[in-house]
Amino acid sequence: MATLTPQAPSPASTAAPGRGGIWEWITTTDHKKIGILYGFSSILFFVVGGVEALFIRLQLAVPNGEILSADAYNQMFTMHATTMVFLVVMPIASAFANYFLPLQLGARDVAFPRLNAFSYWLYLAGALFLTVSFFVGGGADGGWFGYAPLSTQVTEVVRMDYWSLGLQVLGVASIASSVNFITTVLTMRAPGMTLMRMPVFSWMVFIISFLLLFSLPMVTVGLIQVFLDRNIGTLFFDAANGGDPVLWQHLFWLFGHPEVYVLILPAMGIVSEVLPTFARKPLFGRSFVIFSGIAIGFMGFGVWAHHMFTSGLGPVAEAAFALTTMFIAVPTGVKIFNWLGTIWGGSLELNTPMLFSLGFIFLFVIGGLSGVTHSIVPADSQQHDSYYVVAHFHYVLFGGAIFGIFSGIYYWFPKVFGKLLNERIGKVNFWLMFIGMNLTFAPMHVLGLNGMPRRTYRYAEGLGLDVWNLVATIGSLVLALGIAVFLYNGWRTFRKGEVAGPDPWDARTLEWTTSSPPPEHNFDRIPVVHHEDDFWHQKYTTDEEGRAVAIPADLRPVVAEGPDEDIHLPSPSYHPALAGLGIFVMLLGLVYVPWGLIAVGVGGIGFLWGMFGWSLEPLVRGDH
Amino acid sequence: MNGTERHEGRLRVGRRFFRRPTGRFVLFSIAASVLLAACTTDIPQNSLDPASPQARDIDNLWWLVFWIAVVVFVLVEVALVVAIVRFRRRRRGPEREVRQVHGNLRMEIMWTILPVVVLAVIAVPTVKTIFDLREAPTPEENALVVNVIGHQWWWEFEYPELGFSTAQEMYIPAGRSIYLNITSADVIHSFWTPRLHGKRDAVPGRVNNLTYFADEPGDYLGQCAEFCGLAHADMRHMVRAVSAGDFEVWAAKHASLPEIPEEGAVASGWETFNIICVACHVIGDVGPGVDLTVPVADRLPGGSGDYVLAPNLSYFAEREKFGGWTFENDTAHLQAWLADPSDLKPMTPELNDLEEGRVLGMPNFGLSPEDISNLTALLQSLE
Amino acid sequence: MTAMTTPDLAGPGGHHDVSEARKLAMWAFLGSEVLLFGSLITTFLLYRTRVGDGPSAAEIFDIPFTSISSFILLMSSLTMVLGHHSWERKDWRQMRVWLLATAGLGMIFLAGQVFEFTEFVHEGLTVSTSPFGSAFFVLTGFHGLHVAVGVMMLMATAIMGFTGKLREDGGMNVGLVGLYWHFVDVVWIVIFTVVYLLAV
Amino acid sequence: MTEAAHPPHPTPRDYWLIAVVLAVITAAEVAVAYIGVDVVKVPLLFAMAFAKFVIVVGWYMHLRYEKKAYRRLFYLGLIAAPILFGVVLFSFGVLIGS
Ligand code: HEA
Ligand code: HEA
Ligand code: CUA
Ligand SMILES: [Cu+2]
């Protein structure tokens, strides 16, 4: 990572010099480095999850496909979804949040830098643990929502143990970073940065932190119950002995639905940053965009049972959840319309980040509308667990979350690495993904309505499914090509990318006031904020008609005007990583009780050592 | 050039888009996929080709919502595309600044209220249909009760009033209400015959109900829709709606015991059946059957003997397909199955635990070729 | 969430108050714990009468015994808050006494729970007797686990108090441990009612 | 960031007093559990548990004296839990049944 040459240390900085190399990354407590770690890990897992998806598509290209066995297929889609949701989209949002939340707030770091590092290592432990399962006894094969009692059946096979423990740990990691982000937002904003002046992306991170904080506990309990049913003979989901499998569905979807908004809101935040920048207009109805995000957050907790419309909830509950579900379209629509309002009358620069954001809107509307058709309970009784649902959620997840993320990558890459991704390649990347995406997932609507159930490793001829499956498979290859182009673009840029200045897009928020990449301490002086889009107001004013007028450089206000103070950056520490490693060893041990208890012990010691070391060492070494 | 002139120029470009080949292609593909989904009638599991009042109710509701969604889709996407085309920055050059509009309260109110109204319109028939479809048949309708029981990986159909059970193929009289008690003997399955009704989960320990009513005699293909493990894909079923008279004949046959000849290949097959297969399968009154007079709601999934362990084979030869209605019921497939069931259909019989009532597939018994052909003869004789 | 936009939360700027931030984080975490115990309690409420062939709640609970151990845990909140008070006044000696007393009461409570569990197992209630048994042991066991973690944190803080490693902005401080401890106590107040008293 | 409305923090004497109150309520709880009439028993028990809850959280955990933000964080969880779980239990018929 040649582009990451450390900035010349600021005279005010008292941070201990890192030892360089790998060790520096393992011990880092710098939110920017942690963000980069998250970013690269998620891209890696994106390729893993994508290759799993390609296996799925190749298997389904023709009737009675024979590339995968049923067993391998079931592992593929379970791990594909688990990987994409928990190891790609969530952590990549975390990557952006880590890197840009402090920068957008005008802060030097997150509230708890070492907890932040710990979150990352915990995530990595959980991710590797889940992935390792492929090589020791098989990947999880119970579907990504692991319905009991299938997930608790046949306890002598360890697959679902890997799954339940792995998700558990990822959940703890997410709770830790949610607490961290909430505290950061509430206590670390620069002077003058009121909540309503906070950039929309930061707002969305703030909101999803609450969603995670209050939804993860539910699935945590469910996962514990699954694990115990499998391993010590509890009867939570054992219908033969009075347990009720539907309880698991409630616990999972009480988490699962807020979770899908956790996946989409950061992308919506990114879109809300990108559109104004390249339309050269402020976000239309900014406060409405923020409040609709809050509204989605609240309403997202009230719709979970729409995933259980066929499980026999009874007509009253079905009707109630149908209503809550369809009305969540209202705040979402508010967002869509405000984005349209933003680009309307603007001067749109159709570069790659902008294209991905516009593509986001186009595709998300399709996915959102099919979501509304799901809320029509009788219609959903046909669509549920068919490829129609698969089409819905890939439109919102791929067309939505992934397109938003790609927009964010193209937008912020120059800030993080100091170099611009290539525009021409970027456009090829966009169009391949846009076309590939529609080719892959649009036919799935038809497949579902034609009666193709999901999670089936083969289908018979003569069911009217052949053509559309083949089209979808071809689409997925186009998609793969697009993503390969993206990877090439990144690789090329590291080698010979065009150098970006601090503010290549003439953007609006505080992160663009620092150098690219930003210095270790982010800001020489903490900025004092006077407006929303404060940076824009430093550069522009408006004439009588409301058109922007650039302020000549020599007349601009001083960028940073906070107090000149000693900068205390958190010292590097290996304790968070050690604690994470300890957890990884413990997890492996837990799967193989009783003899694995040795590993549990060893890992436990590592974990405790990390925790105690962490709580005893001062945050800033040499302080006091 | 002032702003309005420029905008008009761009609007024209927007119109032109749909006249260009790409624009036409986009419109065409959307229309084409919709039509293809809707108008093909020879697709056996087409959920938009209803063959019962229930499926028709669902279908009507679907089309209402679909067209509303299409309208919203067109409005939003056209606005988006027009905005992109009209307001895109054309040439590199000195930056022309635009007016900095921050928002508009009236528009916000409008685009909050409008969707609310649209959704309210959708909500009324939705709620009504939810309750309509939940109504159980009245006593006057004289509904036939069928217990539908999901097993890994096949469907069992009990006719408690008629006193027998069968598997894979569910016979029903057309033109009469059928009241289904849907449950499961192991994990969650979902019973789905798209042309007759939406799906309903088969949850162990619970009984979910559904009313079927086939307008016409005919064959309606269905499939398990909830992921239930290894062979979930191969868990299909066939609903055969027949005339009331034919149904009487069929029911009378099943209510009596099949006749097994005293000698020949069939008789040898019967001997083998009584030694090996009988651990799980039933033919007539031989094998681990269950007491059909016990209401299905009072039975427990699992090992208590409340459900059979494997498909009832009594009139096996009448089935068109077997093994989760997946394999042609012919000599070649039967022999292949008997030689190694897991080779044909993915199963894990090594994890079976009959005591616990756990059956995850038919084991390979290492039958001799002779046994296999005798058993095949037996099965083919059971018409 | 709406009202959080009040300007009184405007960022304090670069020099944020570490211990305030920690307290805030702890409250957020406890908010999350409410949902965790909520899920466990919900499971219990769903299964409390599903006793199968095993003993029912009314048959095996020993309310007087549990009342006493509940009382002990309740009183540990008193010692905790007194320890916290001494900590705020920087009276380290008193603080250590109260913290150790709190840990002691916590351990008595845990011992009571271990005793109770073994009694129940003898009387035929295990995790795999009935859904009631599963839900009971997992709910109370999870709470016990929280108490045990609390005891460890109390001991650690007390020891750090001895060795002088305890500073006001240390990673663990008495304020945080106190919040956690009281919360665990509060959860037991609910469990005592929902699990035990309703079964009488 | 001074919130003028802060009441003065309790003193150790107050803490002891509160403990006595808590002890009394606990005793009352056990008593009600044994002798209460079924109709009032359950609401009464919940009311008393709630009172104890509020007392510990408000005084021992000083939530009464904390910034609004802290309270809201905790209240969010506290309000969400009964609503969400109430609906879950309702859908299982537990709330109506017993
Ligand atoms: C990013 C993730 C994401 C998002 C944002 C959404 C958004 C929505 N989802 Fe989706 N959903 C998933 C991810 C997501 N979903 C996943 C992963 C599953 C499947 C899980 C599984 O089974 O594996 C699923 C499944 C799923 C189901 C269950 C289907 C089934 O299994 O039977 C339902 C049912 O109601 C549903 C509904 C909705 C609705 C109503 C929205 C709404 O939020 C959409 C709102 C948006 C719009 C409507 C478009 C914009 C609005 C306008 C332009 C305004 C005007 C509109 C109208 C007047 C209608 N979703
Ligand atoms: C964010 C979430 C997300 C994302 C991004 C995707 C992306 C994709 N998904 Fe997936 N999917 C889910 C979430 C997601 N999915 C979920 C939740 C399920 C439900 C699972 C369940 O039922 O349990 C599911 C299920 C699912 C199914 C249904 C399986 C079934 O029910 O049987 C299918 C089938 O086609 C599918 C396909 C795809 C495809 C083709 C992509 C593509 O978009 C993938 C694109 C990526 C690539 C193609 C990788 C490209 C990389 C390369 C080519 C690398 C080349 C290498 C070098 C050059 C070094 N997905
Ligand atoms: Cu049975 Cu899927
Ligand atoms: Cu949902």
Side-chain angles (χ1 to χ4, degrees), chain A residues 144-145 260-261 306-307 328 371 374-375 380 384 392-393 396 454:
Chain A
W144 84 283
F145 41 75
V260 307
Y261 293 112
H306 67 211
H307 296 275
I328 215 165
H374 284 321
S375 70
D380 186 59
H384 175 69
H392 158 63
F393 65 71
V396 281
R454 60 194 284 203

PDB file of all heavy atoms in Angstrom, chain A residues 144-145 260-261 306-307 328 371 374-375 380 384 392-393 396 454, ligand 1:
ATOM      1  N   TRP A 144     -29.950 -18.448   5.206  1.00  0.00           N
ATOM      2  CA  TRP A 144     -29.321 -17.369   5.998  1.00  0.00           C
ATOM      3  C   TRP A 144     -30.153 -17.001   7.199  1.00  0.00           C
ATOM      4  O   TRP A 144     -29.659 -16.367   8.121  1.00  0.00           O
ATOM      5  CB  TRP A 144     -29.016 -16.156   5.126  1.00  0.00           C
ATOM      6  CG  TRP A 144     -30.129 -15.183   4.908  1.00  0.00           C
ATOM      7  CD1 TRP A 144     -31.175 -15.349   4.062  1.00  0.00           C
ATOM      8  CD2 TRP A 144     -30.303 -13.901   5.527  1.00  0.00           C
ATOM      9  NE1 TRP A 144     -31.988 -14.251   4.107  1.00  0.00           N
ATOM     10  CE2 TRP A 144     -31.485 -13.334   5.000  1.00  0.00           C
ATOM     11  CE3 TRP A 144     -29.577 -13.167   6.472  1.00  0.00           C
ATOM     12  CZ2 TRP A 144     -31.957 -12.092   5.387  1.00  0.00           C
ATOM     13  CZ3 TRP A 144     -30.054 -11.925   6.849  1.00  0.00           C
ATOM     14  CH2 TRP A 144     -31.230 -11.398   6.315  1.00  0.00           C
ATOM     15  N   PHE A 145     -31.453 -17.382   7.233  1.00  0.00           N
ATOM     16  CA  PHE A 145     -32.188 -17.126   8.473  1.00  0.00           C
ATOM     17  C   PHE A 145     -32.409 -18.394   9.268  1.00  0.00           C
ATOM     18  O   PHE A 145     -33.227 -18.426  10.168  1.00  0.00           O
ATOM     19  CB  PHE A 145     -33.494 -16.363   8.235  1.00  0.00           C
ATOM     20  CG  PHE A 145     -34.296 -16.789   7.032  1.00  0.00           C
ATOM     21  CD1 PHE A 145     -35.016 -17.958   7.067  1.00  0.00           C
ATOM     22  CD2 PHE A 145     -34.328 -16.005   5.898  1.00  0.00           C
ATOM     23  CE1 PHE A 145     -35.768 -18.343   5.969  1.00  0.00           C
ATOM     24  CE2 PHE A 145     -35.084 -16.379   4.798  1.00  0.00           C
ATOM     25  CZ  PHE A 145     -35.804 -17.557   4.823  1.00  0.00           C
ATOM     26  N   VAL A 260     -32.356  -5.072   7.424  1.00  0.00           N
ATOM     27  CA  VAL A 260     -32.315  -4.689   6.009  1.00  0.00           C
ATOM     28  C   VAL A 260     -32.240  -3.174   5.874  1.00  0.00           C
ATOM     29  O   VAL A 260     -31.659  -2.664   4.917  1.00  0.00           O
ATOM     30  CB  VAL A 260     -33.474  -5.265   5.170  1.00  0.00           C
ATOM     31  CG1 VAL A 260     -33.574  -6.766   5.339  1.00  0.00           C
ATOM     32  CG2 VAL A 260     -34.784  -4.582   5.445  1.00  0.00           C
ATOM     33  N   TYR A 261     -32.769  -2.444   6.828  1.00  0.00           N
ATOM     34  CA  TYR A 261     -32.601  -0.996   6.768  1.00  0.00           C
ATOM     35  C   TYR A 261     -31.202  -0.597   7.203  1.00  0.00           C
ATOM     36  O   TYR A 261     -30.679   0.431   6.753  1.00  0.00           O
ATOM     37  CB  TYR A 261     -33.691  -0.285   7.577  1.00  0.00           C
ATOM     38  CG  TYR A 261     -35.030  -0.501   6.923  1.00  0.00           C
ATOM     39  CD1 TYR A 261     -36.012  -1.262   7.513  1.00  0.00           C
ATOM     40  CD2 TYR A 261     -35.268   0.015   5.653  1.00  0.00           C
ATOM     41  CE1 TYR A 261     -37.210  -1.504   6.866  1.00  0.00           C
ATOM     42  CE2 TYR A 261     -36.451  -0.221   5.002  1.00  0.00           C
ATOM     43  CZ  TYR A 261     -37.433  -0.978   5.608  1.00  0.00           C
ATOM     44  OH  TYR A 261     -38.599  -1.234   4.960  1.00  0.00           O
ATOM     45  N   HIS A 306     -43.837  -9.487   8.446  1.00  0.00           N
ATOM     46  CA  HIS A 306     -44.164  -9.659   7.026  1.00  0.00           C
ATOM     47  C   HIS A 306     -43.316 -10.744   6.376  1.00  0.00           C
ATOM     48  O   HIS A 306     -43.557 -11.129   5.250  1.00  0.00           O
ATOM     49  CB  HIS A 306     -44.103  -8.340   6.245  1.00  0.00           C
ATOM     50  CG  HIS A 306     -42.745  -7.735   6.111  1.00  0.00           C
ATOM     51  ND1 HIS A 306     -42.539  -6.389   6.041  1.00  0.00           N
ATOM     52  CD2 HIS A 306     -41.516  -8.277   6.016  1.00  0.00           C
ATOM     53  CE1 HIS A 306     -41.263  -6.125   5.915  1.00  0.00           C
ATOM     54  NE2 HIS A 306     -40.612  -7.261   5.890  1.00  0.00           N
ATOM     55  N   HIS A 307     -42.310 -11.229   7.093  1.00  0.00           N
ATOM     56  CA  HIS A 307     -41.559 -12.376   6.591  1.00  0.00           C
ATOM     57  C   HIS A 307     -42.231 -13.682   6.974  1.00  0.00           C
ATOM     58  O   HIS A 307     -41.758 -14.755   6.620  1.00  0.00           O
ATOM     59  CB  HIS A 307     -40.130 -12.353   7.133  1.00  0.00           C
ATOM     60  CG  HIS A 307     -39.354 -11.166   6.664  1.00  0.00           C
ATOM     61  ND1 HIS A 307     -38.685 -11.144   5.469  1.00  0.00           N
ATOM     62  CD2 HIS A 307     -39.174  -9.940   7.210  1.00  0.00           C
ATOM     63  CE1 HIS A 307     -38.119  -9.970   5.296  1.00  0.00           C
ATOM     64  NE2 HIS A 307     -38.402  -9.215   6.349  1.00  0.00           N
ATOM     65  N   ILE A 328     -44.474   1.906   5.194  1.00  0.00           N
ATOM     66  CA  ILE A 328     -43.057   2.264   5.256  1.00  0.00           C
ATOM     67  C   ILE A 328     -42.616   2.800   3.894  1.00  0.00           C
ATOM     68  O   ILE A 328     -41.569   3.436   3.762  1.00  0.00           O
ATOM     69  CB  ILE A 328     -42.224   1.051   5.704  1.00  0.00           C
ATOM     70  CG1 ILE A 328     -41.069   1.526   6.573  1.00  0.00           C
ATOM     71  CG2 ILE A 328     -41.695   0.263   4.530  1.00  0.00           C
ATOM     72  CD1 ILE A 328     -40.416   0.432   7.348  1.00  0.00           C
ATOM     73  N   GLY A 371     -41.327  -4.757  -3.059  1.00  0.00           N
ATOM     74  CA  GLY A 371     -41.519  -4.911  -1.611  1.00  0.00           C
ATOM     75  C   GLY A 371     -42.957  -4.615  -1.232  1.00  0.00           C
ATOM     76  O   GLY A 371     -43.570  -5.331  -0.443  1.00  0.00           O
ATOM     77  N   HIS A 374     -45.175  -7.353  -1.877  1.00  0.00           N
ATOM     78  CA  HIS A 374     -45.066  -8.403  -0.848  1.00  0.00           C
ATOM     79  C   HIS A 374     -45.981  -8.127   0.335  1.00  0.00           C
ATOM     80  O   HIS A 374     -46.395  -9.041   1.036  1.00  0.00           O
ATOM     81  CB  HIS A 374     -43.649  -8.470  -0.285  1.00  0.00           C
ATOM     82  CG  HIS A 374     -42.671  -9.118  -1.170  1.00  0.00           C
ATOM     83  ND1 HIS A 374     -42.939 -10.221  -1.923  1.00  0.00           N
ATOM     84  CD2 HIS A 374     -41.375  -8.824  -1.425  1.00  0.00           C
ATOM     85  CE1 HIS A 374     -41.868 -10.570  -2.598  1.00  0.00           C
ATOM     86  NE2 HIS A 374     -40.907  -9.726  -2.317  1.00  0.00           N
ATOM     87  N   SER A 375     -46.204  -6.855   0.590  1.00  0.00           N
ATOM     88  CA  SER A 375     -46.972  -6.539   1.795  1.00  0.00           C
ATOM     89  C   SER A 375     -48.446  -6.884   1.594  1.00  0.00           C
ATOM     90  O   SER A 375     -49.216  -6.895   2.548  1.00  0.00           O
ATOM     91  CB  SER A 375     -46.822  -5.060   2.145  1.00  0.00           C
ATOM     92  OG  SER A 375     -47.507  -4.267   1.198  1.00  0.00           O
ATOM     93  N   ASP A 380     -48.650 -12.143  -1.368  1.00  0.00           N
ATOM     94  CA  ASP A 380     -47.394 -12.665  -0.839  1.00  0.00           C
ATOM     95  C   ASP A 380     -47.465 -14.168  -0.606  1.00  0.00           C
ATOM     96  O   ASP A 380     -46.447 -14.853  -0.642  1.00  0.00           O
ATOM     97  CB  ASP A 380     -47.020 -11.952   0.461  1.00  0.00           C
ATOM     98  CG  ASP A 380     -45.639 -12.369   0.948  1.00  0.00           C
ATOM     99  OD1 ASP A 380     -44.671 -12.167   0.195  1.00  0.00           O
ATOM    100  OD2 ASP A 380     -45.541 -12.926   2.055  1.00  0.00           O
ATOM    101  N   HIS A 384     -44.100 -15.523  -1.607  1.00  0.00           N
ATOM    102  CA  HIS A 384     -43.189 -15.874  -0.526  1.00  0.00           C
ATOM    103  C   HIS A 384     -42.351 -17.098  -0.886  1.00  0.00           C
ATOM    104  O   HIS A 384     -42.856 -18.065  -1.442  1.00  0.00           O
ATOM    105  CB  HIS A 384     -43.999 -16.150   0.743  1.00  0.00           C
ATOM    106  CG  HIS A 384     -43.162 -16.628   1.877  1.00  0.00           C
ATOM    107  ND1 HIS A 384     -42.259 -15.829   2.516  1.00  0.00           N
ATOM    108  CD2 HIS A 384     -43.083 -17.832   2.482  1.00  0.00           C
ATOM    109  CE1 HIS A 384     -41.665 -16.522   3.466  1.00  0.00           C
ATOM    110  NE2 HIS A 384     -42.130 -17.735   3.463  1.00  0.00           N
ATOM    111  N   HIS A 392     -36.900  -9.289  -5.510  1.00  0.00           N
ATOM    112  CA  HIS A 392     -37.091  -8.099  -4.661  1.00  0.00           C
ATOM    113  C   HIS A 392     -35.828  -7.757  -3.905  1.00  0.00           C
ATOM    114  O   HIS A 392     -35.324  -6.643  -3.963  1.00  0.00           O
ATOM    115  CB  HIS A 392     -38.236  -8.334  -3.667  1.00  0.00           C
ATOM    116  CG  HIS A 392     -38.186  -7.441  -2.455  1.00  0.00           C
ATOM    117  ND1 HIS A 392     -38.301  -6.064  -2.524  1.00  0.00           N
ATOM    118  CD2 HIS A 392     -38.000  -7.717  -1.144  1.00  0.00           C
ATOM    119  CE1 HIS A 392     -38.203  -5.545  -1.315  1.00  0.00           C
ATOM    120  NE2 HIS A 392     -38.002  -6.523  -0.457  1.00  0.00           N
ATOM    121  N   PHE A 393     -35.299  -8.731  -3.191  1.00  0.00           N
ATOM    122  CA  PHE A 393     -34.227  -8.302  -2.281  1.00  0.00           C
ATOM    123  C   PHE A 393     -32.906  -8.075  -2.993  1.00  0.00           C
ATOM    124  O   PHE A 393     -32.076  -7.334  -2.508  1.00  0.00           O
ATOM    125  CB  PHE A 393     -34.131  -9.164  -1.026  1.00  0.00           C
ATOM    126  CG  PHE A 393     -33.753 -10.594  -1.183  1.00  0.00           C
ATOM    127  CD1 PHE A 393     -32.483 -10.971  -1.533  1.00  0.00           C
ATOM    128  CD2 PHE A 393     -34.674 -11.592  -0.863  1.00  0.00           C
ATOM    129  CE1 PHE A 393     -32.131 -12.289  -1.618  1.00  0.00           C
ATOM    130  CE2 PHE A 393     -34.334 -12.926  -0.942  1.00  0.00           C
ATOM    131  CZ  PHE A 393     -33.061 -13.276  -1.332  1.00  0.00           C
ATOM    132  N   VAL A 396     -33.127  -4.388  -4.031  1.00  0.00           N
ATOM    133  CA  VAL A 396     -32.808  -3.438  -2.975  1.00  0.00           C
ATOM    134  C   VAL A 396     -31.397  -3.628  -2.440  1.00  0.00           C
ATOM    135  O   VAL A 396     -30.750  -2.668  -2.036  1.00  0.00           O
ATOM    136  CB  VAL A 396     -33.833  -3.502  -1.813  1.00  0.00           C
ATOM    137  CG1 VAL A 396     -35.095  -2.759  -2.170  1.00  0.00           C
ATOM    138  CG2 VAL A 396     -34.129  -4.910  -1.402  1.00  0.00           C
ATOM    139  N   ARG A 454     -37.530 -20.710  -4.192  1.00  0.00           N
ATOM    140  CA  ARG A 454     -36.118 -20.422  -3.974  1.00  0.00           C
ATOM    141  C   ARG A 454     -35.445 -21.608  -3.283  1.00  0.00           C
ATOM    142  O   ARG A 454     -36.119 -22.527  -2.830  1.00  0.00           O
ATOM    143  CB  ARG A 454     -35.973 -19.156  -3.127  1.00  0.00           C
ATOM    144  CG  ARG A 454     -36.627 -19.274  -1.772  1.00  0.00           C
ATOM    145  CD  ARG A 454     -36.775 -17.933  -1.111  1.00  0.00           C
ATOM    146  NE  ARG A 454     -35.502 -17.447  -0.572  1.00  0.00           N
ATOM    147  CZ  ARG A 454     -35.414 -16.547   0.410  1.00  0.00           C
ATOM    148  NH1 ARG A 454     -36.514 -16.028   0.942  1.00  0.00           N
ATOM    149  NH2 ARG A 454     -34.254 -16.146   0.842  1.00  0.00           N
TER     150      ARG A 454
HETATM  151  C1  HEA E   1     -31.879  -3.351   1.597  1.00  0.00           C
HETATM  152  C2  HEA E   1     -32.717  -4.180   1.973  1.00  0.00           C
HETATM  153  C3  HEA E   1     -34.207  -4.116   1.882  1.00  0.00           C
HETATM  154  C4  HEA E   1     -35.042  -3.033   1.776  1.00  0.00           C
HETATM  155  C5  HEA E   1     -34.692  -1.572   1.760  1.00  0.00           C
HETATM  156  C6  HEA E   1     -36.362  -3.572   1.720  1.00  0.00           C
HETATM  157  C7  HEA E   1     -37.503  -2.779   1.613  1.00  0.00           C
HETATM  158  C8  HEA E   1     -38.786  -3.277   1.689  1.00  0.00           C
HETATM  159  N1  HEA E   1     -39.156  -4.593   1.765  1.00  0.00           N
HETATM  160 FE1  HEA E   1     -37.909  -6.177   1.685  1.00  0.00          FE
HETATM  161  N2  HEA E   1     -36.667  -7.733   1.930  1.00  0.00           N
HETATM  162  C9  HEA E   1     -35.303  -7.704   1.986  1.00  0.00           C
HETATM  163  C10 HEA E   1     -34.529  -6.576   1.942  1.00  0.00           C
HETATM  164  C11 HEA E   1     -35.031  -5.288   1.874  1.00  0.00           C
HETATM  165  N3  HEA E   1     -36.323  -4.944   1.759  1.00  0.00           N
HETATM  166  C12 HEA E   1     -34.765  -9.017   2.075  1.00  0.00           C
HETATM  167  C13 HEA E   1     -33.292  -9.380   2.170  1.00  0.00           C
HETATM  168  C14 HEA E   1     -35.844  -9.881   2.081  1.00  0.00           C
HETATM  169  C15 HEA E   1     -35.874 -11.389   2.068  1.00  0.00           C
HETATM  170  C16 HEA E   1     -35.297 -12.065   3.206  1.00  0.00           C
HETATM  171  C17 HEA E   1     -35.325 -13.504   2.921  1.00  0.00           C
HETATM  172  O1  HEA E   1     -36.431 -14.082   2.928  1.00  0.00           O
HETATM  173  O2  HEA E   1     -34.242 -14.083   2.680  1.00  0.00           O
HETATM  174  C18 HEA E   1     -37.021  -9.041   1.999  1.00  0.00           C
HETATM  175  C19 HEA E   1     -38.302  -9.548   2.019  1.00  0.00           C
HETATM  176  C20 HEA E   1     -39.426  -8.758   2.109  1.00  0.00           C
HETATM  177  C21 HEA E   1     -40.720  -9.263   2.421  1.00  0.00           C
HETATM  178  C22 HEA E   1     -41.074 -10.727   2.711  1.00  0.00           C
HETATM  179  C23 HEA E   1     -41.349 -11.421   1.456  1.00  0.00           C
HETATM  180  C24 HEA E   1     -41.554 -12.865   1.686  1.00  0.00           C
HETATM  181  O3  HEA E   1     -40.628 -13.558   2.086  1.00  0.00           O
HETATM  182  O4  HEA E   1     -42.659 -13.319   1.470  1.00  0.00           O
HETATM  183  C25 HEA E   1     -41.576  -8.202   2.415  1.00  0.00           C
HETATM  184  C26 HEA E   1     -43.021  -8.306   2.706  1.00  0.00           C
HETATM  185  O5  HEA E   1     -43.709  -7.422   2.886  1.00  0.00           O
HETATM  186  C27 HEA E   1     -40.789  -7.028   2.116  1.00  0.00           C
HETATM  187  C28 HEA E   1     -41.286  -5.736   2.011  1.00  0.00           C
HETATM  188  C29 HEA E   1     -40.500  -4.616   1.852  1.00  0.00           C
HETATM  189  C30 HEA E   1     -41.034  -3.261   1.792  1.00  0.00           C
HETATM  190  C31 HEA E   1     -42.480  -2.876   1.802  1.00  0.00           C
HETATM  191  C32 HEA E   1     -39.952  -2.437   1.694  1.00  0.00           C
HETATM  192  C33 HEA E   1     -40.007  -0.929   1.642  1.00  0.00           C
HETATM  193  O6  HEA E   1     -39.113  -0.362   2.540  1.00  0.00           O
HETATM  194  C34 HEA E   1     -39.761  -0.395   0.261  1.00  0.00           C
HETATM  195  C35 HEA E   1     -40.137   1.048   0.174  1.00  0.00           C
HETATM  196  C36 HEA E   1     -39.737   1.704  -1.112  1.00  0.00           C
HETATM  197  C37 HEA E   1     -40.544   2.017  -2.138  1.00  0.00           C
HETATM  198  C38 HEA E   1     -41.969   1.663  -2.137  1.00  0.00           C
HETATM  199  C39 HEA E   1     -40.027   2.667  -3.371  1.00  0.00           C
HETATM  200  C40 HEA E   1     -39.929   4.162  -3.301  1.00  0.00           C
HETATM  201  C41 HEA E   1     -41.174   4.846  -2.919  1.00  0.00           C
HETATM  202  C42 HEA E   1     -41.894   5.644  -3.738  1.00  0.00           C
HETATM  203  C43 HEA E   1     -41.452   5.952  -5.100  1.00  0.00           C
HETATM  204  C44 HEA E   1     -43.111   6.270  -3.175  1.00  0.00           C
HETATM  205  C45 HEA E   1     -44.371   5.896  -3.854  1.00  0.00           C
HETATM  206  C46 HEA E   1     -44.699   4.469  -3.627  1.00  0.00           C
HETATM  207  C47 HEA E   1     -45.923   3.981  -3.435  1.00  0.00           C
HETATM  208  C48 HEA E   1     -47.147   4.812  -3.336  1.00  0.00           C
HETATM  209  C49 HEA E   1     -46.101   2.499  -3.356  1.00  0.00           C
HETATM  210  N4  HEA E   1     -39.494  -7.403   1.929  1.00  0.00           N
END
